[in-house]
Amino acid sequence: MTDPRWLDAREAHLWQSYRDTYRELVGALENRLISNSGLSGADYALLHPLSTAESGVLRTRDLGKSVGWERSRLSHQVSRMERRGLVVREECVSDARGSMVRLTDAGRAAIEAAAPDHVDAVRAYFLDKLSRDEQEVLTKLLDRVLAELPARDLYREGPTSPAGGC
C-alpha cells in the first residue's frame, strides 16, 4: 500500500475554505428562504424543477435525479409537501409501477412568491462577491470537477424500471 498524499497547508486551507463557504452559504440561503417565504431549501429544491417542467409535472424518478436525492429522501419530502398542499402524487399512465409529482396551484404560488427574494439572496451572498471574470473561471472549474466525479446511480435503470416509464 502506498503512503497517502496528505494535503499540504495550502491545499488544506482551500479545502476547508470550500467546506466552510458551502456550509455557511447554504445555511444563510436556507434561513432567509424560511424567514421570508416559509419554504425550506428542500421545498424550493423540488418546487423549482416542477415549476419549470411542462404542465408542472415530472416523473418521480426524474425529479429525484434533478436534485440528486435518493428515493427515500425524495419520498419523505414529497409527503411533507403533499400534506401542505404544494404538490400531489399521481399514478403514471404509461407504467403502473411509477408515479408522477405535480405542482399544485398553491405550490406554484409559493415558488413564484419565494423566487425573487431567493434570487436576490443568491446574488447578495454569492454572485455579487465575484467579478464577472471570476464567475466564469469558477464556473469552468466547478464544471470540470463535477464532470470528473464518479457518477452516482440513484435511480438505476433495470428490468423493473423501463427507460420510457415513470
Side-chain angles (χ1 to χ4, degrees):
M1 183 171 176
T2 61
D3 289 337
R5 286 183 52 216
W6 298 111
L7 302 181
D8 64 28
R10 181 190 53 79
E11 292 167 329
H13 182 223
L14 170 61
W15 180 240
Q16 192 62 50
S17 291
Y18 167 78
R19 291 180 53 183
D20 291 348
T21 300
Y22 175 78
R23 181 190 65 239
E24 295 301 318
L25 179 60
V26 168
L29 291 169
E30 176 93 11
N31 289 341
R32 182 162 161 174
L33 193 57
I34 290 169
S35 175
N36 293 350
S37 72
L39 294 176
S40 69
D43 293 335
Y44 195 94
L46 297 186
L47 290 174
H48 179 265
L50 288 169
S51 71
T52 60
E54 186 175 331
S55 302
V57 64
L58 287 171
R59 290 183 280 192
T60 302
R61 140 183 95 172
D62 293 339
L63 182 58
K65 284 180 181 180
S66 77
V67 294
W69 293 358
E70 289 83 10
R71 290 178 191 195
S72 176
R73 180 179 182 193
L74 180 65
S75 179
H76 288 298
Q77 183 61 33
V78 169
S79 293
R80 286 189 288 274
M81 293 171 70
E82 270 188 304
R83 287 192 292 272
R84 292 171 37 225
L86 300 172
V87 299
V88 293
R89 283 185 236 230
E90 301 174 347
E91 290 182 14
C92 178
V93 177
S94 65
D95 180 1
R97 297 168 292 190
S99 65
M100 310 292 280
V101 178
R102 179 178 300 279
L103 185 64
T104 63
D105 289 343
R108 184 165 303 281
I111 189 74
E112 288 176 356
D117 185 64
H118 183 65
V119 169
D120 184 58
V122 169
R123 287 189 183 288
Y125 299 161
F126 184 66
L127 296 173
D128 290 348
K129 307 298 184 228
L130 305 169
S131 71
R132 189 95 169 140
D133 288 343
E134 289 169 329
Q135 291 175 21
E136 289 178 20
V137 168
L138 186 55
T139 299
K140 287 177 186 174
L141 296 173
L142 292 174
D143 286 349
R144 181 186 335 148
V145 170
L146 182 61
E148 294 179 15
L149 289 174
R152 294 189 309 150
D153 192 10
L154 300 174
Y155 286 78
R156 179 188 336 257
E157 298 292 339
T160 61
S161 182
C166 297

